[in-house]
PDB file of all heavy atoms in Angstrom:
ATOM      1  N   THR A 163      -6.663 -15.130 -58.603  1.00  0.00           N
ATOM      2  CA  THR A 163      -5.594 -15.458 -59.564  1.00  0.00           C
ATOM      3  C   THR A 163      -5.801 -16.921 -60.050  1.00  0.00           C
ATOM      4  O   THR A 163      -5.757 -17.172 -61.292  1.00  0.00           O
ATOM      5  CB  THR A 163      -4.217 -15.306 -58.985  1.00  0.00           C
ATOM      6  OG1 THR A 163      -4.007 -13.929 -58.662  1.00  0.00           O
ATOM      7  CG2 THR A 163      -3.195 -15.777 -59.983  1.00  0.00           C
ATOM      8  N   VAL A 164      -6.089 -17.817 -59.117  1.00  0.00           N
ATOM      9  CA  VAL A 164      -6.353 -19.182 -59.435  1.00  0.00           C
ATOM     10  C   VAL A 164      -7.548 -19.329 -60.348  1.00  0.00           C
ATOM     11  O   VAL A 164      -7.519 -19.995 -61.400  1.00  0.00           O
ATOM     12  CB  VAL A 164      -6.530 -20.039 -58.205  1.00  0.00           C
ATOM     13  CG1 VAL A 164      -6.961 -21.469 -58.557  1.00  0.00           C
ATOM     14  CG2 VAL A 164      -5.246 -20.042 -57.376  1.00  0.00           C
ATOM     15  N   ILE A 165      -8.662 -18.685 -60.006  1.00  0.00           N
ATOM     16  CA  ILE A 165      -9.858 -18.650 -60.860  1.00  0.00           C
ATOM     17  C   ILE A 165      -9.554 -18.037 -62.201  1.00  0.00           C
ATOM     18  O   ILE A 165      -9.998 -18.597 -63.223  1.00  0.00           O
ATOM     19  CB  ILE A 165     -10.990 -17.929 -60.108  1.00  0.00           C
ATOM     20  CG1 ILE A 165     -11.388 -18.639 -58.835  1.00  0.00           C
ATOM     21  CG2 ILE A 165     -12.175 -17.706 -61.020  1.00  0.00           C
ATOM     22  CD1 ILE A 165     -12.386 -17.917 -57.970  1.00  0.00           C
ATOM     23  N   GLY A 166      -8.830 -16.898 -62.267  1.00  0.00           N
ATOM     24  CA  GLY A 166      -8.586 -16.268 -63.516  1.00  0.00           C
ATOM     25  C   GLY A 166      -7.783 -17.198 -64.438  1.00  0.00           C
ATOM     26  O   GLY A 166      -8.145 -17.276 -65.658  1.00  0.00           O
ATOM     27  N   VAL A 167      -6.731 -17.858 -64.001  1.00  0.00           N
ATOM     28  CA  VAL A 167      -5.932 -18.721 -64.802  1.00  0.00           C
ATOM     29  C   VAL A 167      -6.855 -19.835 -65.382  1.00  0.00           C
ATOM     30  O   VAL A 167      -6.811 -20.210 -66.605  1.00  0.00           O
ATOM     31  CB  VAL A 167      -4.765 -19.208 -64.093  1.00  0.00           C
ATOM     32  CG1 VAL A 167      -4.038 -20.384 -64.869  1.00  0.00           C
ATOM     33  CG2 VAL A 167      -3.745 -18.089 -63.800  1.00  0.00           C
ATOM     34  N   ILE A 168      -7.575 -20.503 -64.491  1.00  0.00           N
ATOM     35  CA  ILE A 168      -8.393 -21.662 -64.950  1.00  0.00           C
ATOM     36  C   ILE A 168      -9.526 -21.247 -65.836  1.00  0.00           C
ATOM     37  O   ILE A 168      -9.709 -21.924 -66.896  1.00  0.00           O
ATOM     38  CB  ILE A 168      -8.946 -22.405 -63.688  1.00  0.00           C
ATOM     39  CG1 ILE A 168      -7.756 -22.997 -62.848  1.00  0.00           C
ATOM     40  CG2 ILE A 168      -9.926 -23.466 -64.098  1.00  0.00           C
ATOM     41  CD1 ILE A 168      -8.199 -23.647 -61.557  1.00  0.00           C
ATOM     42  N   VAL A 169     -10.159 -20.123 -65.521  1.00  0.00           N
ATOM     43  CA  VAL A 169     -11.231 -19.681 -66.449  1.00  0.00           C
ATOM     44  C   VAL A 169     -10.628 -19.302 -67.833  1.00  0.00           C
ATOM     45  O   VAL A 169     -11.190 -19.610 -68.893  1.00  0.00           O
ATOM     46  CB  VAL A 169     -11.939 -18.510 -65.870  1.00  0.00           C
ATOM     47  CG1 VAL A 169     -12.944 -17.789 -66.837  1.00  0.00           C
ATOM     48  CG2 VAL A 169     -12.829 -19.011 -64.651  1.00  0.00           C
ATOM     49  N   GLY A 170      -9.452 -18.629 -67.815  1.00  0.00           N
ATOM     50  CA  GLY A 170      -8.743 -18.368 -69.014  1.00  0.00           C
ATOM     51  C   GLY A 170      -8.430 -19.598 -69.808  1.00  0.00           C
ATOM     52  O   GLY A 170      -8.599 -19.529 -71.056  1.00  0.00           O
ATOM     53  N   GLU A 171      -8.083 -20.621 -69.169  1.00  0.00           N
ATOM     54  CA  GLU A 171      -7.770 -21.901 -69.880  1.00  0.00           C
ATOM     55  C   GLU A 171      -9.054 -22.473 -70.520  1.00  0.00           C
ATOM     56  O   GLU A 171      -9.045 -23.030 -71.640  1.00  0.00           O
ATOM     57  CB  GLU A 171      -7.124 -22.837 -68.979  1.00  0.00           C
ATOM     58  CG  GLU A 171      -5.703 -22.516 -68.565  1.00  0.00           C
ATOM     59  CD  GLU A 171      -5.080 -23.523 -67.700  1.00  0.00           C
ATOM     60  OE1 GLU A 171      -5.844 -24.349 -67.067  1.00  0.00           O
ATOM     61  OE2 GLU A 171      -3.824 -23.443 -67.476  1.00  0.00           O
ATOM     62  N   ILE A 172     -10.209 -22.357 -69.748  1.00  0.00           N
ATOM     63  CA  ILE A 172     -11.462 -22.852 -70.265  1.00  0.00           C
ATOM     64  C   ILE A 172     -11.915 -22.050 -71.452  1.00  0.00           C
ATOM     65  O   ILE A 172     -12.369 -22.652 -72.464  1.00  0.00           O
ATOM     66  CB  ILE A 172     -12.456 -22.871 -69.148  1.00  0.00           C
ATOM     67  CG1 ILE A 172     -12.043 -23.964 -68.041  1.00  0.00           C
ATOM     68  CG2 ILE A 172     -13.836 -23.222 -69.752  1.00  0.00           C
ATOM     69  CD1 ILE A 172     -12.942 -23.945 -66.871  1.00  0.00           C
ATOM     70  N   LEU A 173     -11.799 -20.716 -71.426  1.00  0.00           N
ATOM     71  CA  LEU A 173     -12.257 -19.908 -72.468  1.00  0.00           C
ATOM     72  C   LEU A 173     -11.453 -20.022 -73.753  1.00  0.00           C
ATOM     73  O   LEU A 173     -11.982 -19.863 -74.811  1.00  0.00           O
ATOM     74  CB  LEU A 173     -12.263 -18.452 -72.040  1.00  0.00           C
ATOM     75  CG  LEU A 173     -13.291 -18.094 -70.905  1.00  0.00           C
ATOM     76  CD1 LEU A 173     -13.102 -16.567 -70.497  1.00  0.00           C
ATOM     77  CD2 LEU A 173     -14.731 -18.370 -71.349  1.00  0.00           C
ATOM     78  N   GLY A 174     -10.161 -20.367 -73.666  1.00  0.00           N
ATOM     79  CA  GLY A 174      -9.447 -20.594 -74.821  1.00  0.00           C
ATOM     80  C   GLY A 174      -8.041 -20.904 -74.504  1.00  0.00           C
ATOM     81  O   GLY A 174      -7.196 -20.099 -74.096  1.00  0.00           O
ATOM     82  N   SER A 175      -7.688 -22.189 -74.650  1.00  0.00           N
ATOM     83  CA  SER A 175      -6.319 -22.680 -74.379  1.00  0.00           C
ATOM     84  C   SER A 175      -6.102 -23.975 -75.054  1.00  0.00           C
ATOM     85  O   SER A 175      -7.044 -24.746 -75.308  1.00  0.00           O
ATOM     86  CB  SER A 175      -6.137 -22.751 -72.885  1.00  0.00           C
ATOM     87  OG  SER A 175      -4.826 -23.252 -72.576  1.00  0.00           O
ATOM     88  N   ARG A 176      -4.836 -24.308 -75.228  1.00  0.00           N
ATOM     89  CA  ARG A 176      -4.478 -25.664 -75.850  1.00  0.00           C
ATOM     90  C   ARG A 176      -3.918 -26.577 -74.818  1.00  0.00           C
ATOM     91  O   ARG A 176      -3.522 -27.670 -75.137  1.00  0.00           O
ATOM     92  CB  ARG A 176      -3.454 -25.356 -76.959  1.00  0.00           C
ATOM     93  CG  ARG A 176      -4.105 -24.645 -78.156  1.00  0.00           C
ATOM     94  CD  ARG A 176      -3.047 -24.518 -79.335  1.00  0.00           C
ATOM     95  NE  ARG A 176      -1.991 -23.582 -78.952  1.00  0.00           N
ATOM     96  CZ  ARG A 176      -1.651 -22.538 -79.751  1.00  0.00           C
ATOM     97  NH1 ARG A 176      -2.339 -22.280 -80.854  1.00  0.00           N
ATOM     98  NH2 ARG A 176      -0.779 -21.699 -79.368  1.00  0.00           N
ATOM     99  N   ALA A 177      -3.661 -26.091 -73.622  1.00  0.00           N
ATOM    100  CA  ALA A 177      -3.103 -26.934 -72.552  1.00  0.00           C
ATOM    101  C   ALA A 177      -3.588 -26.396 -71.194  1.00  0.00           C
ATOM    102  O   ALA A 177      -4.073 -25.346 -71.051  1.00  0.00           O
ATOM    103  CB  ALA A 177      -1.587 -26.909 -72.681  1.00  0.00           C
ATOM    104  N   GLY A 178      -3.373 -27.235 -70.202  1.00  0.00           N
ATOM    105  CA  GLY A 178      -3.704 -26.876 -68.811  1.00  0.00           C
ATOM    106  C   GLY A 178      -5.050 -27.596 -68.390  1.00  0.00           C
ATOM    107  O   GLY A 178      -5.744 -28.185 -69.222  1.00  0.00           O
ATOM    108  N   MET A 179      -5.312 -27.419 -67.111  1.00  0.00           N
ATOM    109  CA  MET A 179      -6.492 -28.067 -66.616  1.00  0.00           C
ATOM    110  C   MET A 179      -7.806 -27.582 -67.266  1.00  0.00           C
ATOM    111  O   MET A 179      -8.791 -28.324 -67.478  1.00  0.00           O
ATOM    112  CB  MET A 179      -6.604 -27.849 -65.084  1.00  0.00           C
ATOM    113  CG  MET A 179      -5.498 -28.622 -64.266  1.00  0.00           C
ATOM    114  SD  MET A 179      -5.557 -30.441 -64.499  1.00  0.00           S
ATOM    115  CE  MET A 179      -7.291 -30.706 -63.857  1.00  0.00           C
ATOM    116  N   GLY A 180      -7.855 -26.240 -67.456  1.00  0.00           N
ATOM    117  CA  GLY A 180      -8.994 -25.750 -68.179  1.00  0.00           C
ATOM    118  C   GLY A 180      -9.212 -26.288 -69.501  1.00  0.00           C
ATOM    119  O   GLY A 180     -10.317 -26.512 -69.956  1.00  0.00           O
ATOM    120  N   ALA A 181      -8.186 -26.549 -70.247  1.00  0.00           N
ATOM    121  CA  ALA A 181      -8.214 -27.089 -71.641  1.00  0.00           C
ATOM    122  C   ALA A 181      -8.811 -28.546 -71.534  1.00  0.00           C
ATOM    123  O   ALA A 181      -9.598 -28.959 -72.337  1.00  0.00           O
ATOM    124  CB  ALA A 181      -6.886 -27.116 -72.282  1.00  0.00           C
ATOM    125  N   LEU A 182      -8.364 -29.273 -70.505  1.00  0.00           N
ATOM    126  CA  LEU A 182      -8.909 -30.656 -70.334  1.00  0.00           C
ATOM    127  C   LEU A 182     -10.337 -30.622 -70.047  1.00  0.00           C
ATOM    128  O   LEU A 182     -11.205 -31.449 -70.529  1.00  0.00           O
ATOM    129  CB  LEU A 182      -8.117 -31.394 -69.226  1.00  0.00           C
ATOM    130  CG  LEU A 182      -6.656 -31.640 -69.488  1.00  0.00           C
ATOM    131  CD1 LEU A 182      -6.137 -32.489 -68.312  1.00  0.00           C
ATOM    132  CD2 LEU A 182      -6.415 -32.388 -70.722  1.00  0.00           C
ATOM    133  N   ILE A 183     -10.784 -29.681 -69.145  1.00  0.00           N
ATOM    134  CA  ILE A 183     -12.238 -29.524 -68.907  1.00  0.00           C
ATOM    135  C   ILE A 183     -12.973 -29.195 -70.071  1.00  0.00           C
ATOM    136  O   ILE A 183     -14.032 -29.712 -70.326  1.00  0.00           O
ATOM    137  CB  ILE A 183     -12.460 -28.501 -67.715  1.00  0.00           C
ATOM    138  CG1 ILE A 183     -11.772 -28.967 -66.385  1.00  0.00           C
ATOM    139  CG2 ILE A 183     -13.857 -28.100 -67.581  1.00  0.00           C
ATOM    140  CD1 ILE A 183     -11.793 -27.929 -65.336  1.00  0.00           C
ATOM    141  N   ASN A 184     -12.461 -28.264 -70.881  1.00  0.00           N
ATOM    142  CA  ASN A 184     -13.172 -27.816 -72.051  1.00  0.00           C
ATOM    143  C   ASN A 184     -13.253 -28.989 -73.090  1.00  0.00           C
ATOM    144  O   ASN A 184     -14.230 -29.137 -73.824  1.00  0.00           O
ATOM    145  CB  ASN A 184     -12.451 -26.671 -72.656  1.00  0.00           C
ATOM    146  CG  ASN A 184     -13.325 -25.848 -73.572  1.00  0.00           C
ATOM    147  OD1 ASN A 184     -14.484 -25.744 -73.480  1.00  0.00           O
ATOM    148  ND2 ASN A 184     -12.697 -25.188 -74.587  1.00  0.00           N
ATOM    149  N   HIS A 185     -12.208 -29.804 -73.150  1.00  0.00           N
ATOM    150  CA  HIS A 185     -12.160 -30.905 -74.085  1.00  0.00           C
ATOM    151  C   HIS A 185     -13.243 -31.987 -73.691  1.00  0.00           C
ATOM    152  O   HIS A 185     -14.052 -32.449 -74.534  1.00  0.00           O
ATOM    153  CB  HIS A 185     -10.822 -31.593 -74.057  1.00  0.00           C
ATOM    154  CG  HIS A 185     -10.658 -32.808 -74.917  1.00  0.00           C
ATOM    155  ND1 HIS A 185     -10.983 -34.133 -74.416  1.00  0.00           N
ATOM    156  CD2 HIS A 185     -10.371 -32.968 -76.239  1.00  0.00           C
ATOM    157  CE1 HIS A 185     -10.763 -34.946 -75.449  1.00  0.00           C
ATOM    158  NE2 HIS A 185     -10.417 -34.304 -76.536  1.00  0.00           N
ATOM    159  N   ALA A 186     -13.364 -32.336 -72.398  1.00  0.00           N
ATOM    160  CA  ALA A 186     -14.344 -33.266 -72.011  1.00  0.00           C
ATOM    161  C   ALA A 186     -15.760 -32.736 -72.107  1.00  0.00           C
ATOM    162  O   ALA A 186     -16.720 -33.461 -72.592  1.00  0.00           O
ATOM    163  CB  ALA A 186     -14.078 -33.649 -70.447  1.00  0.00           C
ATOM    164  N   TYR A 187     -15.947 -31.479 -71.866  1.00  0.00           N
ATOM    165  CA  TYR A 187     -17.256 -30.858 -72.070  1.00  0.00           C
ATOM    166  C   TYR A 187     -17.624 -30.797 -73.482  1.00  0.00           C
ATOM    167  O   TYR A 187     -18.821 -31.080 -73.877  1.00  0.00           O
ATOM    168  CB  TYR A 187     -17.215 -29.438 -71.545  1.00  0.00           C
ATOM    169  CG  TYR A 187     -18.464 -28.655 -71.684  1.00  0.00           C
ATOM    170  CD1 TYR A 187     -19.597 -28.870 -70.832  1.00  0.00           C
ATOM    171  CD2 TYR A 187     -18.616 -27.676 -72.728  1.00  0.00           C
ATOM    172  CE1 TYR A 187     -20.738 -28.109 -70.976  1.00  0.00           C
ATOM    173  CE2 TYR A 187     -19.775 -26.994 -72.866  1.00  0.00           C
ATOM    174  CZ  TYR A 187     -20.827 -27.195 -72.016  1.00  0.00           C
ATOM    175  OH  TYR A 187     -21.994 -26.492 -72.227  1.00  0.00           O
ATOM    176  N   GLY A 188     -16.648 -30.506 -74.453  1.00  0.00           N
ATOM    177  CA  GLY A 188     -17.013 -30.427 -75.826  1.00  0.00           C
ATOM    178  C   GLY A 188     -17.351 -31.757 -76.451  1.00  0.00           C
ATOM    179  O   GLY A 188     -18.177 -31.818 -77.373  1.00  0.00           O
ATOM    180  N   LEU A 189     -16.867 -32.856 -75.872  1.00  0.00           N
ATOM    181  CA  LEU A 189     -17.090 -34.160 -76.379  1.00  0.00           C
ATOM    182  C   LEU A 189     -18.188 -34.885 -75.620  1.00  0.00           C
ATOM    183  O   LEU A 189     -18.446 -36.034 -75.853  1.00  0.00           O
ATOM    184  CB  LEU A 189     -15.852 -35.033 -76.333  1.00  0.00           C
ATOM    185  CG  LEU A 189     -14.703 -34.620 -77.270  1.00  0.00           C
ATOM    186  CD1 LEU A 189     -13.474 -35.531 -77.034  1.00  0.00           C
ATOM    187  CD2 LEU A 189     -15.049 -34.551 -78.736  1.00  0.00           C
ATOM    188  N   PHE A 190     -18.887 -34.150 -74.758  1.00  0.00           N
ATOM    189  CA  PHE A 190     -20.001 -34.676 -73.927  1.00  0.00           C
ATOM    190  C   PHE A 190     -19.542 -35.845 -73.087  1.00  0.00           C
ATOM    191  O   PHE A 190     -20.377 -36.796 -72.916  1.00  0.00           O
ATOM    192  CB  PHE A 190     -21.222 -35.079 -74.852  1.00  0.00           C
ATOM    193  CG  PHE A 190     -21.867 -33.874 -75.473  1.00  0.00           C
ATOM    194  CD1 PHE A 190     -21.585 -33.579 -76.793  1.00  0.00           C
ATOM    195  CD2 PHE A 190     -22.607 -33.029 -74.772  1.00  0.00           C
ATOM    196  CE1 PHE A 190     -22.266 -32.551 -77.473  1.00  0.00           C
ATOM    197  CE2 PHE A 190     -23.289 -31.935 -75.407  1.00  0.00           C
ATOM    198  CZ  PHE A 190     -23.096 -31.714 -76.709  1.00  0.00           C
TER     199      PHE A 190
END
Side-chain angles (χ1 to χ4, degrees):
T163 298
V164 173
I165 293 172
V167 169
I168 294 175
V169 169
E171 290 179 345
I172 293 174
L173 293 177
S175 179
R176 293 183 289 234
M179 291 300 299
L182 295 185
I183 292 173
N184 201 30
H185 177 269
Y187 176 80
L189 295 180
F190 294 103

